[in-house]
Amino acid sequence: MTGAPTIHEQDGLQGVTPGRMNVMRGYLALCTVLVVAAELAIAGGAFSTGLLLDGAAVLLLFSNRWHVAPGGTQAPPDALSSACAVLALLPIMRLLSVTMPHKNIPEMGWYVAIGLPMLLVLIPLMGEQERLRTMLRIRGKVLSQGAIALLGIPLGMLAYAIAQPKPLQDGPLLNNPVVAFIVLTIFTGLMEEILFRGLLPDAAERFFGPMTGMLGASVVFAVFNLGGGLWFAIFALYYGFMFSLIVRRTGSLVGVTIAHGLLNTGLLVIWPQVWG
């Protein structure tokens, strides 16, 4: 009797030789280094260099067939194509945020303008696989997910103590904590949790193992938070990895998504008004 196909069977990794697997791992590692280098350049003020590196990363990731399978003799496994597509979303997100005409959009509107197109891509990607799709549901006890969500309040206070951003200048509506919470939970919390705690570690796990996948995704998440300073990036590494462990334990993104929304609402709206 034939059972259900395994993950490796579905993605074409079953039977891949160790040598070819190492080639694919090296390819993904090289592309990740390019993305990280681009973030470091942008955080250091070298925007042109960062954008060039991001562009190179996108081109390299979307041309994986020609680099990993020279001459088209053997198509890359689905797992590699999926991992490249997910990883390419990182430089695309940065290119979108850097090139956006910020002066014409209220500050809170930036998150909508960047988060909306990203969500339109991320949610269908999550929906392609049942084990990822279930992460968008509450799994386990509602009270435990609620307790996880409330972690966002002290994390938001700590984030503000580290970064101390200035209050937003968007007027009373978008500075309303309830409105800000809805916007930030959907367009930063949900978007980033799907990417950094769902798709990215899942893709990395297939090639590097679960712990390396979670840690690697958390490091990349921290690098993308370097705009808040080195200490804030270290803080992002801490809570990002903690969120990854929670998601792995509970199988749900719901609690950490709400926690992320509360964290960002406290960081950008509530605590700057209270202590700023």
Side-chain angles (χ1 to χ4, degrees):
M1 181 175 180
T2 303
T6 65
I7 292 171
H8 285 340
E9 286 174 336
Q10 292 173 342
D11 292 336
L13 289 177
Q14 188 182 44
V16 171
T17 63
R20 191 161 190 246
M21 179 64 83
N22 287 334
V23 169
M24 291 188 288
R25 287 172 179 157
Y27 187 80
L28 290 171
L30 172 62
C31 293
T32 303
V33 168
L34 271 178
V35 173
V36 169
E39 283 302 300
L40 293 174
I42 291 172
F47 291 101
S48 296
T49 300
L51 294 179
L52 285 173
L53 289 173
D54 273 331
V58 171
L59 291 174
L60 193 59
L61 285 161
F62 281 122
S63 60
N64 65 84
R65 173 181 294 271
W66 290 274
H67 300 294
V68 178
T73 55
Q74 188 176 12
D78 291 342
L80 180 66
S81 299
S82 297
C84 288
V86 170
L87 190 56
L89 292 174
L90 296 172
I92 289 172
M93 179 174 65
R94 179 56 69 206
L95 289 167
L96 182 63
S97 66
V98 170
T99 58
M100 183 181 297
H102 289 168
K103 294 182 180 179
N104 300 325
I105 303 175
E107 190 170 352
M108 187 67 75
W110 299 352
Y111 301 106
V112 179
I114 297 170
L116 180 58
M118 290 295 294
L119 281 173
L120 292 175
V121 174
L122 291 172
I123 291 178
L125 285 176
M126 286 286 288
E128 288 180 359
Q129 300 182 52
E130 174 63 24
R131 67 198 188 98
L132 291 179
R133 187 161 61 245
T134 57
M135 289 184 178
L136 298 175
R137 308 170 190 162
I138 295 179
R139 303 187 69 187
K141 297 180 179 179
V142 175
L143 289 179
S144 65
Q145 290 295 320
I148 292 168
L150 291 176
L151 289 173
I153 297 175
L155 287 174
M157 295 175 69
L158 184 55
Y160 176 75
I162 295 170
Q164 296 188 356
K166 296 180 180 179
L168 298 181
Q169 303 296 319
D170 288 341
L173 177 61
L174 291 179
N175 276 324
N176 180 289
V178 176
V179 176
F181 170 71
I182 294 171
V183 171
L184 292 172
T185 299
I186 295 173
F187 297 107
T188 64
L190 180 59
M191 184 268 287
E192 292 184 3
E193 292 307 315
I194 288 177
L195 181 55
F196 289 105
R197 254 67 72 182
L199 291 167
L200 193 58
D202 178 76
E205 177 180 339
R206 297 165 191 264
F207 292 92
F208 301 101
M211 189 56 64
T212 302
M214 287 193 299
L215 182 58
S218 299
V219 169
V220 174
F221 176 68
V223 171
F224 270 74
N225 279 276
L226 273 172
L230 177 60
W231 286 109
F232 188 78
I234 294 173
F235 170 69
L237 175 62
Y238 161 72
Y239 83 78
F241 188 66
M242 179 180 69
F243 281 5
S244 293
L245 291 175
I246 290 172
V247 170
R248 186 166 185 83
R249 179 68 180 271
T250 65
S252 175
L253 289 169
V254 175
V256 295
T257 293
I258 298 173
H260 202 148
L262 285 171
L263 186 160
N264 286 342
T265 303
L267 170 66
L268 298 172
V269 178
I270 297 176
W271 305 124
Q273 293 180 16
V274 174
W275 293 328

